[in-house]
Amino acid sequence: MMNTIQLHDFCTVAITERLHTDPHRHLAHQWTIALDGQPFEVEVAGVASQVAQVFIPSLTTHQFLTEQGHFLTVLMDSDAVLRSQQQLAAWVDTLARQPLTPELLEQLLAQLGMFNATFDPRVERTLASIREADALDEISAAQLAELTDLSESRFLHLFKAEVGVPLRKFIVWQKIRRAFRLLTEQPQRKLTDVAVQAGFYDAAHFANYVRENFGLSPSDILQDSQFFQDDGCQHCSNDEPS
């Protein structure tokens, strides 16, 4: 089985051929649809149903019970600004009528409010600084605010309004992206070394953030996923898909 995971600034997109989990919950909002249009079995907050799409709010216990199919799952930061259910329905309708391409996915994420191509120039400068930073754990709001000529409070407000999530959450997602990118590029490295390089205190700190947001451990995600994509660059994991 070949699964694909695309890592974005504060959401993760997974395309899978299996949808079967134990009961779990996570901070990220989750939206899962059947790309083949076939209903799947899911239990959300103790209620079982057969659906072709489901939206699961943050920290809601759920379980998927379908073995085979073709599924798209979007995991979104719990503080992300979400759009209306009508727009979500339009999203599904679009996917049902045409193949999922990287360009279409980018367009649909933009419609969801999860991806923007352009920002206020002041925010663009801070985003570039974050992405180019060698030590993500040393970045402070005060330092970034200096790049915008705004007070720290006004900068934080502008960042949330433009990007869609608070600065602290955005940096955490960058750490997670960096850690997984390192793990797929250098699978022989120790998890502790990768976690520290990505900006976490240690392997446990990284694993806790991943489990908290996604309901899975880093090893679970790596084991079940053959390909990772980050900013259009595809990395192949040495792990065989399950």
Side-chain angles (χ1 to χ4, degrees):
M1 179 175 63
M2 183 182 297
N3 296 337
T4 298
I5 293 180
Q6 297 177 341
L7 304 174
H8 297 271
D9 280 338
F10 54 94
C11 73
T12 296
V13 179
I15 301 173
T16 65
E17 297 175 1
R18 184 174 182 268
L19 203 62
H20 194 286
T21 67
D22 294 327
H24 66 289
R25 65 177 189 166
H26 40 68
L27 276 176
H29 298 300
Q30 179 169 341
W31 184 48
T32 296
I33 71 169
L35 291 174
D36 56 10
Q38 298 299 312
F40 53 84
E41 187 176 359
V42 61
E43 183 177 298
V44 180
V47 179
S49 58
Q50 292 271 349
V51 294
Q53 67 160 315
V54 62
F55 180 79
I56 303 168
S58 172
L59 295 178
T60 301
T61 300
H62 57 284
Q63 178 180 16
F64 292 95
L65 300 168
T66 298
E67 291 287 350
Q68 300 294 331
H70 191 203
F71 309 102
L72 172 70
T73 293
V74 181
L75 293 166
M76 316 164 226
D77 188 272
S78 57
D79 281 338
V81 179
L82 301 180
R83 302 295 174 84
S84 68
Q85 290 293 321
Q86 289 79 6
Q87 286 175 306
L88 290 177
W91 219 70
V92 176
D93 182 63
T94 300
L95 286 174
R97 289 184 285 104
Q98 54 187 297
L100 182 66
T101 64
E103 293 77 17
L104 176 60
L105 181 58
E106 181 175 313
Q107 176 187 350
L108 295 175
L109 286 173
Q111 292 175 6
L112 256 182
M114 302 304 300
F115 182 89
N116 289 305
T118 59
F119 299 100
D120 182 295
R122 295 168 294 183
V123 173
E124 290 278 12
R125 290 196 294 273
T126 64
L127 292 175
S129 179
I130 293 169
R131 291 169 177 145
E132 295 168 4
D134 292 328
L136 289 170
D137 56 322
E138 296 179 2
I139 295 175
S140 70
Q143 292 172 331
L144 295 174
E146 290 181 1
L147 300 176
T148 66
D149 294 324
L150 296 173
S151 67
E152 184 175 332
S153 60
R154 290 187 62 192
F155 160 65
L156 291 173
H157 178 79
L158 176 65
F159 189 95
K160 171 67 183 293
E162 285 283 310
V163 179
V165 293
L167 172 65
R168 181 183 62 83
K169 287 291 198 72
F170 183 87
I171 292 175
V172 168
W173 277 82
Q174 301 315 301
K175 292 179 180 180
I176 292 174
R177 292 176 67 178
R178 185 169 294 186
F180 274 117
R181 184 166 62 245
L182 290 169
L183 285 170
T184 53
E185 291 175 343
Q186 306 169 39
Q188 75 283 356
R189 291 188 61 187
K190 293 182 179 180
L191 183 59
T192 297
D193 294 339
V194 167
V196 171
Q197 184 176 341
F200 295 98
Y201 298 131
D202 52 29
H205 188 216
F206 168 52
N208 286 341
Y209 265 107
V210 172
R211 186 176 292 279
E212 182 179 54
N213 279 282
F214 306 137
L216 297 169
S217 69
S219 59
D220 290 335
I221 295 173
L222 287 168
Q223 180 180 356
D224 290 337
S225 303
Q226 185 177 15
F227 293 96
F228 281 80
Q229 296 174 338
D230 187 12
D231 282 339
C233 178
Q234 181 165 286
H235 309 286
C236 183
S237 168
N238 288 344
D239 291 310
E240 290 296 322
S242 62

